[in-house]
Amino acid sequence: MQATTPAPRTTDPLGQGLESQAGTALLRFGVARRRPADRISWSGTGAAAWLDRGQVMSVGDPDAAAGLVLRAAHGLPDRVREFTVPRGSDVLVGRHLPVTDAVEWVFRWTEQEPPPHAAEDRVQALDATHHDELRAFLAEHSPAHSTGPGSADVRLWAGIRDDAGQLVACGALSRLRDSGAPLMVSVATDAARRGEGLGAALTSWLTRHAVRGDGVCTLWQLGGNAPAERLYDRLGYRTGDPCVTARIAPAPPLAA
């Protein structure tokens, strides 16, 4: 692979029709509508990339996607510190730049309501008066959660309580930036109650709510999470983009 790619095209990356190809679901659901006029983007044969709050997002052919990340990093060295690319692209980028903290994800979605879950009737919507309770619950049972109460992108929090009224599971529906498509985030279950199907019930309820309201529900699944993969398969989620998110390590200081 070459370290650079042909100059970026002036047309929007969506003009390639990539959003309809396999492995580019993130492009279709993430940036297909309400694109900012000042978006910085790059396009090459078989791949597209765009800058999103300091992170380069790229989809398409792994080799071409890696080339676009390199172009972005060389062209905007003070703004590009992280990237999300098709799996394999991170290795190609790493041949030219110091790459660290790689984490594998899968972008998934469904446009169908899931089969009914017996415990869905225990799920209840939670409002801003429950934010402190949600923060404490997530801090204890899911400290690495992606989104917390009060986030501007979250449209709905939901939870399940035990017979004593204590929260035992929670989750939220956020939004993909630009498109506004529902994105399920921060699903967590009380560590002592795992295996009881509470997470499955909550996930089913949130999926159903999103599909009924918007026609789709999306989520990011952490790579290697076999239980989550089985659950999402049962709920009818399709597998979209197998991705890697990684950081570009800062250059070492020059010797005195």
Side-chain angles (χ1 to χ4, degrees), residues 1-247:
M1 186 196 74
Q2 299 298 316
T4 59
T5 61
R9 300 174 183 173
T10 56
T11 57
D12 190 278
L14 288 173
Q16 292 191 70
L18 283 174
E19 69 276 17
S20 63
Q21 296 183 17
T24 59
L26 182 59
L27 183 65
R28 174 156 40 109
F29 289 112
V31 298
R33 296 185 295 277
R34 296 202 295 272
R35 298 187 298 279
D38 60 349
R39 178 185 302 287
I40 298 175
S41 59
W42 300 264
S43 184
T45 302
W50 61 97
L51 187 63
D52 187 355
R53 303 185 189 184
Q55 179 177 185
V56 174
M57 308 287 291
S58 186
V59 298
D61 174 75
D63 189 278
L68 294 179
V69 171
L70 290 171
R71 175 167 288 279
H74 289 313
L76 300 170
D78 296 331
R79 297 184 63 177
V80 176
R81 286 288 177 264
E82 188 173 358
F83 59 88
T84 294
V85 292
R87 289 185 190 172
S89 297
D90 56 316
V91 177
L92 300 174
V93 173
R95 295 176 183 174
H96 303 274
L97 294 173
V99 172
T100 186
D101 300 329
V103 177
E104 293 188 346
W105 302 87
V106 179
F107 181 73
R108 306 191 67 169
W109 80 96
T110 182
E111 297 168 312
Q112 303 295 326
E113 290 189 31
H117 191 286
E120 277 188 72
D121 59 356
R122 297 179 58 186
V123 180
Q124 56 185 266
L126 303 174
D127 58 27
T129 64
H130 302 102
H131 280 185
D132 287 344
E133 181 183 20
L134 284 164
R135 288 190 188 96
F137 183 84
L138 288 167
E140 180 177 357
H141 300 290
S142 184
H145 59 276
S146 60
T147 304
S151 171
D153 291 331
V154 171
R155 62 172 72 177
L156 172 70
W157 281 96
I160 297 177
R161 299 187 182 279
D162 62 15
D163 293 339
Q166 296 297 310
L167 197 64
V168 291
C170 74
L173 287 176
S174 184
R175 300 175 185 269
L176 286 171
R177 288 196 286 271
D178 303 336
S179 71
L183 176 70
M184 192 184 311
V185 296
S186 299
V187 175
T189 303
D190 186 318
R193 305 291 298 271
R194 288 171 186 164
E196 298 181 19
L198 300 176
L202 188 68
T203 301
S204 296
W205 189 93
L206 289 169
T207 301
R208 195 178 313 283
H209 184 94
V211 171
R212 285 182 177 178
D214 293 85
V216 66
C217 190
T218 68
L219 58 85
W220 286 99
Q221 176 196 314
L222 186 63
N225 189 338
E229 182 174 1
R230 289 193 294 269
L231 170 60
Y232 298 141
D233 285 347
R234 290 201 306 272
L235 295 181
Y237 277 87
R238 298 170 64 183
T239 298
D241 306 351
C243 298
V244 176
T245 296
R247 295 182 182 276

